[in-house]
Amino acid sequence: MKQVLGLAILATLFTSPALAGETFVLNQWTIKGGRTQTNFNIDTVTNSNRTEDYSSSSDKIYIDGTVETEYNNGKVGEYFKDFTVYNAGSKLNGSFHEKMTTRVWGTINTITNSYTSTHESSAGIR
């Protein structure tokens, strides 16, 4: 019992407020650390389809011949005397089909470590 009473008196002396004119010193450290770990799994599939239909054509007519000029009652007229008609054409039809499947999969692992250390000190007279 005497030991407990002695400890209580000592604790009171150390934790009591400072008396006027006493000096005090504060010296406080705070250290914090942290770690964050993330494992992110991804698995995604993308399907795409594309269809194109196209058609084009062209025609060309070429006339080869000689032109004659005719005067009839003061009027001028032209006509082809000897001529040949060349006719050519082309046509293109087609289709394009595409089907694609894309898959992306994997794991993204991240680790973040943080560390903070602060120190505060002050001194004075009360």
Side-chain angles (χ1 to χ4, degrees):
M1 177 102 159
K2 288 183 181 180
Q3 290 175 346
V4 172
L5 183 59
L7 287 175
I9 294 171
L10 282 175
T12 306
L13 290 175
F14 284 111
T15 60
S16 64
L19 301 175
E22 288 185 333
T23 59
F24 70 92
V25 175
L26 173 66
N27 189 17
Q28 181 177 348
W29 283 91
T30 303
I31 299 173
K32 294 180 183 178
R35 177 182 172 101
T36 303
Q37 185 170 350
T38 304
N39 296 322
F40 181 63
N41 295 316
I42 58 173
D43 190 357
T44 177
V45 176
T46 303
N47 294 310
S48 65
N49 296 304
R50 183 171 74 166
T51 301
E52 295 179 8
D53 294 319
Y54 52 88
S55 176
S56 66
S57 63
S58 66
D59 293 314
K60 181 177 182 180
I61 298 174
Y62 177 71
I63 300 173
D64 181 18
T66 57
V67 177
E68 294 287 330
T69 303
E70 181 181 85
Y71 298 96
N72 187 3
N73 295 330
K75 294 183 180 179
V76 177
E78 293 182 344
Y79 66 93
F80 287 100
K81 184 177 178 183
D82 296 316
F83 63 90
T84 306
V85 176
Y86 300 96
N87 189 358
S90 65
K91 188 168 187 173
L92 174 66
N93 290 321
S95 295
F96 175 79
H97 302 281
E98 177 183 67
K99 182 177 183 180
M100 289 180 44
T101 300
T102 305
R103 181 178 180 206
V104 177
W105 71 95
T107 303
I108 300 171
N109 298 316
T110 59
I111 298 174
T112 304
N113 293 309
S114 63
Y115 176 79
T116 305
S117 173
T118 59
H119 178 250
E120 179 184 354
S121 64
S122 60
I125 298 175
R126 300 184 212 198

